Amino acid sequence: MAQESMKLVSPQMHGDSRMPRKYTADGQGAVKDVSPPLEWYAVPPGAVTLALVVEDIDGLDDPLVPWTHWIVVNIPPSAKGLPEGFSGGNADNLAGVKEGVNDWKVPGWRGPKPPPDGHRIRFRLYALDCELQLGNKVTKEKVLEAVESHVVGEADLIVLF
């Protein structure tokens, strides 16, 4: 019997739907830059840890460069997701989990500031056959280099903002 493909979903966002404002830099009143809830399914049996990379794939123009919003590494494969507001305080609830530095040069989630024409944000979850040893400053570049030959599964969720 074939293994089901790994899936990444959010109860608050669906593929090609708009990201709710509270997860953006604009927010709703005092509620802004809240990390969105995520859930995943069918993590491959060989996974030792999970890593999450979130970027605006329409990024900066000329040349097109994706903009990093969130990095989370060494998530235990037994975790079924990350709750809303996980970033910036709830990471301690999962031993070994580390949030990386985004393109604002700060650790944790930083929501997008919606442009008038909209952009796409991609949540990419990697299932890895090892724990990542990245030092004190975790960056997207370090993560992507480290996962290169260790991916046993991956899943994407793309939403609009």
Side-chain angles (χ1 to χ4, degrees):
M1 186 170 164
Q3 166 94 20
E4 180 184 356
S5 295
M6 194 162 86
K7 290 185 176 40
L8 176 62
V9 299
S10 173
Q12 298 298 319
M13 303 177 294
H14 307 285
D16 294 332
S17 71
R18 284 267 183 215
M19 178 179 282
R21 286 190 67 202
K22 69 180 169 181
Y23 306 129
T24 72
D26 281 350
Q28 295 174 294
V31 181
K32 64 180 181 180
D33 283 330
V34 175
S35 61
L38 298 171
E39 298 171 359
W40 46 79
Y41 303 95
V43 173
V48 173
T49 61
L50 305 173
L52 177 70
V53 176
V54 182
E55 356 176 61
D56 174 351
I57 57 177
D58 295 317
L60 303 175
D61 293 333
D62 201 21
L64 183 62
V65 176
W67 187 261
T68 306
H69 289 275
W70 199 18
I71 304 287
V72 186
V73 298
N74 294 334
I75 305 165
S78 59
K80 301 300 180 202
L82 300 176
E84 180 176 273
F86 176 82
S87 182
N90 292 322
D92 296 336
N93 294 339
L94 291 173
V97 173
K98 185 165 181 127
E99 290 188 279
V101 176
N102 56 39
D103 278 342
W104 285 271
K105 309 292 186 235
V106 296
W109 168 261
R110 178 69 68 92
K113 183 154 181 69
D117 59 344
H119 279 216
R120 295 169 296 156
I121 189 162
R122 179 180 64 207
F123 294 76
R124 176 164 281 170
L125 185 68
Y126 298 94
L128 307 169
D129 65 4
C130 67
E131 186 172 308
L132 298 179
Q133 305 296 323
L134 301 170
N136 289 330
K137 187 175 181 183
V138 175
T139 64
K140 176 180 70 176
E141 292 75 19
K142 283 184 178 180
V143 170
L144 294 180
E145 183 179 321
V147 305
E148 210 161 281
S149 61
H150 297 285
V151 176
V152 295
E154 60 185 81
D156 285 340
L157 170 64
I158 298 177
V159 296
L160 303 173
F161 64 88

